[in-house]
Amino acid sequence: MNTKMFIFLILVLSVIAYWLLPKTRFAKRLKMNEKLFYAINVIGILCGVAGLAVSLGLGEMIMTGHYFELILLPAVLVYLYSAVIMKVQGEGTPYDEKQNYNMTQAAAISLPFSMGAMFVLYAMYKEAVFEGLLWFPVYVFFTLTAYSAGSLFYFRKN
Amino acid sequence: MKLRNNLRKCRFERDEITQEVLAKEVGVTRQTIISIEKSKYVPSALLALKLVKYFGKRFEEVFYIIDDVD
């Protein structure tokens, strides 16, 4: 099975799980807690850092070889899992109010960081250090790292 | 002005319940209770009222305001 098919299959199964899980007896067990919040953000950081390293190491091959989707997949799946919890709870958000507050703080801090990253990328393209589509995975993984690290940092700090 | 609280004292007066138990009772994480007790996080009106109701006290007995000291 090639990478494209594998990713497609996982995503289709995840969407099916999103619709079916809330209707099963496992629904009662689906709850957001502190450990899951840590796990979501740690996975976000790991995927982000791994993605940045592979982007800089392999260059544009990260896109052509579909490593981009593969590395991003765990983060997508944990966010989908929290969407399932949100569906089961039937509320606007599965997180508690402080987690929501900390995620807002992280979003506010990752905005200027990601803008800074874009300026650096622009300069690198201008100097022909980077070429082609590499800006896209670098930007996505940088933002994911900044946001996840920010959420975790504020949750622990405050 | 800053919001302070007697949450820790209230917990001990109420059979020394843990932060974890209190968090479960009011539907938040333990980290949220820790932050409120340290006055690092200001709870929403809803959460503050839930806490007050849980301890069966008046609002001013649990939460109070202090002036900033220069």
Side-chain angles (χ1 to χ4, degrees), chain A residues 43-57 62 67 71 141 145:
Chain A
I43 288 170
I45 294 169
L46 292 177
C47 288
V49 171
L52 278 173
V54 175
S55 300
L56 299 174
I62 191 171
Y67 298 112
I71 296 168
F141 288 124
T145 308

Side-chain angles (χ1 to χ4, degrees), chain A residues 83-132:
Chain A
V84 174
I85 295 173
M86 194 161 81
K87 199 175 177 197
V88 170
Q89 287 182 351
E91 290 170 14
T93 168
Y95 305 101
D96 89 341
E97 65 174 59
K98 184 177 175 293
Q99 288 171 335
N100 276 324
Y101 175 66
N102 296 146
M103 286 160 75
T104 309
Q105 286 179 305
I109 206 77
S110 55
L111 176 68
F113 268 108
S114 57
M115 282 172 77
M118 278 307 261
F119 277 112
V120 172
L121 280 172
Y122 173 73
M124 289 176 121
Y125 268 86
K126 212 173 164 189
E127 298 298 321
V129 179
F130 280 169
E131 287 179 342

Side-chain angles (χ1 to χ4, degrees), chain A residues 25-79:
Chain A
R25 61 195 168 97
F26 294 108
K28 284 180 192 168
R29 295 181 188 179
L30 297 174
K31 277 180 188 163
M32 178 59 68
N33 55 43
E34 216 165 307
K35 282 176 189 161
L36 191 55
F37 185 76
Y38 280 123
I40 287 171
N41 288 300
V42 168
I43 288 170
I45 294 169
L46 292 177
C47 288
V49 171
L52 278 173
V54 175
S55 300
L56 299 174
L58 292 182
E60 248 190 300
M61 227 180 94
I62 191 171
M63 297 303 282
T64 52
H66 299 289
Y67 298 112
F68 171 75
E69 295 93 320
L70 264 182
I71 296 168
L72 200 61
L73 196 61
V76 172
L77 291 179
V78 287
Y79 278 105

Side-chain angles (χ1 to χ4, degrees), chain A residues 32-34 37-38 41 91 93-107 147-158, chain B residues 5 7 19 23 26-48 50-51:
Chain A
M32 178 59 68
N33 55 43
E34 216 165 307
F37 185 76
Y38 280 123
N41 288 300
E91 290 170 14
T93 168
Y95 305 101
D96 89 341
E97 65 174 59
K98 184 177 175 293
Q99 288 171 335
N100 276 324
Y101 175 66
N102 296 146
M103 286 160 75
T104 309
Q105 286 179 305
Y147 177 73
S148 304
S151 296
L152 212 54
F153 171 75
Y154 285 117
F155 189 62
R156 288 292 301 166
K157 183 191 163 219
N158 295 332
Chain B
N5 63 77
L7 224 53
Q19 290 168 328
V26 294
V28 293
T29 58
R30 193 179 65 96
Q31 189 67 36
T32 302
I33 298 297
I34 292 170
S35 298
I36 296 171
E37 281 189 2
K38 287 181 183 170
S39 296
K40 285 187 172 178
Y41 174 70
V42 178
S44 67
L46 179 66
L47 178 55
K50 274 186 187 175
L51 289 164

